[in-house]
Amino acid sequence: MHKYFQLEQHDTTVKKELLAGMISFFTIVYIVAVNGAILADAGIPIEAGIIATILTSFTGCVLMGFIGKTPIILVPGMGVNALFTYTICGSMGLSWQEGLAVVFVSGLLFALVAFTKLSGIISASIPDSLKEAITVGIGIFLTFIGLQKGGIVTGSETTFVKLGDFTDPHVFVTLITLIITIVLFARNIPGNFLISILAGSAIAAGFGLIDSSQSSGTSFSAASYTQVFGAMSFNQMADLAFWTATFSLTMVIVFENIGLVHGHVNMISRQDRYSNSLRANAISAITAGLFGTSPTVSTVETAAGIQAGGRTGLTAVTAGFLFLGSLFFLPYLKLIPDSAIAPILILIGGLMIQNIQNIDLKDFTESFPAFLIIALIPLTYSIVDGMAFGFIAYPILKLAMKRTNEVALPLYIIAALFLANFITHSI
């Protein structure tokens, strides 16, 4: 380990790396329950979704550790999972099996980008305002989903949505858990999300909202997972919807991971590890489709492990094996209620909205396309449709203002593809 991970050169030790890996794991392990719940909304059995999340996280972390040799943690990303479930398998009408095929192909395209100079070309062609708007729009979307899961917002025949019934125990427990989540996060308590989920589950159990009969023993069953592993369906590959979904998902994971990986290698002052880390990320995204979940991303929680002293891939490998060990807690993970998960979605959405400060709101040609993305992602309940409006509006406004030099050729192509998708679905 000393030789392979070059611990001495990075001024670290096995003990520091193992501790940093444990800290990284406990700051991100909440994703196991949250991602499983979101995948369940796409039709994937909750137990299978949790197993897929665990195996994908284990594989991603190990790949990053041995290929990237950086302490970056890879897990199915928040926001990307919403794109998979509520847009690709929801509004776009693909089955979850076809959605997993989209994930697999998107991973292949991500790898094409990561292993060539395309990563720089694509990243440079998309305006920062649109990239930031996608993050903000997905953040609001996640918050909306969390509010729905918690019963705080419900459907209405007259106004589409309305405030939920606060006398409902489910809603009451969600609100109490949300307060706990906010306080823990604001006070920067280590493992705040994990503590919040445990506390929320305990409170829900106290109100009789958890059916403990669903748990049996302390072992896990892979019966349902056998129907998910490798269940990708390529039946719709000739359909435009499949490629629209693939194109959109690829853009999101490429933009998000390029930025996150770049930021994390900067934190450890190892820009020379950027290319290999991005490639490990891309390979991991391919395996996500095979294992049965949405694509992996470089998590912001990686910073916790780095701050704890993690400097090499040993940190990521440690976190990966801890994910694998969480399989033995599967019977209990299945019992986590929506009232414990909803507050996490709401808070994460609130954090993602902070990116709006990176948008030049004084320039109408930048701010209005960004606004369309931010508004229409949650209002259309579709990340792809929201993105499309912004990407189409951007070159139109630049052309109208005779600022065509600010629009790269790839952006015109992207806008044309989004427009063609709209036209095709209208015919």
Side-chain angles (χ1 to χ4, degrees), residues 119-132 134 247 251 254-255 366 373 387 391 394 406-412 414-415 418:
S119 59
I121 296 173
I122 294 176
S123 181
S125 67
I126 308 300
D128 289 338
S129 60
L130 298 187
K131 294 177 187 175
E132 302 292 356
I134 292 171
F247 171 71
M251 282 204 303
V254 168
F255 297 157
E366 296 287 336
I373 292 175
M387 287 171 56
F391 275 77
Y394 190 90
E406 298 178 21
V407 184
L409 177 61
L411 186 59
Y412 284 114
I414 293 171
F418 274 130

Side-chain angles (χ1 to χ4, degrees), residues 33-50:
V34 176
N35 193 60
I38 290 178
L39 292 177
D41 289 344
I44 296 176
I46 181 68
E47 187 174 81
I50 290 174

